[in-house]
Amino acid sequence: MASTRNGATPQAELDLADELGYQLVRFVRLLHKAKSQVAKQGPDGIERAAYAILFSLIHDGPQRTSKLAEGLHSEISTISRQSSSLVQHGLVERQADPEDGRACLLAATAEGERVFEENRKQRNLWLAGVLAEWPEEDRHTLNTLLDRLNTGIEEHSPQIADDHSPVQAKGA
């Protein structure tokens, strides 16, 4: 965001940010609506929320419950309950932590990877349908811009954004 000498952000940029905020809220609500239209439990009997654990284990490798809770911004008790269900269904297994034999790591099983890929395929078919009438160039542009937005969000925590707010800049 550009700012003037006194640290204030121009109104036009704030207006664009406001529109983006509106569109992001709308986007998140629509995603929640789409997810709620899919059964709370998948065809394999697993809570939809538990797939976030499976995603993390597949993409980031075996992890302790505490690391999963931190990465998923969830309570350890929630992660424990959901991961227990994944273990019972054979999608995740507990392994000894090589750094601390008293602790265990959760890891995706081959069946967990298969189920994850099947769910991913269903998601991709849905998204392809949503974007089917978009020109190919627009679909590529969307991916590029979402990547840039995600990277920007990862690099700028809300706390940093608060440090540059107009109120802070005025010494309030």
Side-chain angles (χ1 to χ4, degrees):
M1 229 184 243
S3 60
T4 61
R5 281 184 175 204
N6 66 3
T9 302
Q11 187 61 45
E13 292 210 23
L14 292 174
D15 290 345
L16 281 172
D18 187 54
E19 177 62 21
L20 175 61
Y22 170 79
Q23 293 299 336
L24 287 173
V25 168
R26 181 177 169 217
F27 178 69
V28 169
R29 285 181 180 163
L30 289 168
L31 282 180
H32 284 294
K33 181 179 178 182
K35 287 169 74 174
S36 71
Q37 289 175 343
V38 175
K40 288 240 184 229
Q41 293 195 345
D44 39 33
I46 305 296
E47 279 183 70
R48 286 280 172 209
Y51 285 107
I53 294 172
L54 201 51
F55 177 88
S56 292
L57 295 175
I58 288 170
H59 287 278
D60 301 326
Q63 299 174 53
R64 288 185 180 187
T65 303
S66 57
K67 184 178 177 189
L68 281 166
E70 181 182 322
L72 295 172
H73 309 288
S74 191
E75 297 294 325
I76 290 178
S77 60
T78 302
I79 299 298
S80 293
R81 178 179 49 77
Q82 291 172 341
S83 62
S84 290
S85 176
L86 291 169
V87 168
Q88 289 172 357
H89 283 85
L91 306 179
V92 168
E93 65 184 359
R94 290 184 174 90
Q95 302 174 341
D97 185 338
E99 295 178 12
D100 181 353
R102 299 168 295 172
C104 75
L105 299 176
L106 296 170
T109 63
E111 178 64 4
E113 290 183 22
R114 185 198 67 75
V115 167
F116 176 80
E117 286 303 322
E118 181 60 34
N119 279 276
R120 183 179 185 176
K121 178 181 171 185
Q122 293 301 317
R123 180 206 61 200
N124 290 349
L125 287 169
W126 175 70
L127 285 171
V130 169
L131 300 175
E133 295 185 20
W134 287 36
E136 183 177 356
E137 183 180 340
D138 287 356
R139 288 180 271 157
H140 287 288
T141 299
L142 176 63
N143 281 330
T144 299
L145 293 175
L146 279 174
D147 180 56
R148 282 177 59 192
L149 178 62
N150 286 332
T151 299
I153 290 170
E154 289 168 346
E155 292 174 352
H156 300 283
S157 73
Q159 184 176 25
I160 292 170
D162 288 345
D163 291 344
H164 297 293
S165 69
V167 173
Q168 292 287 333
K170 293 177 183 173

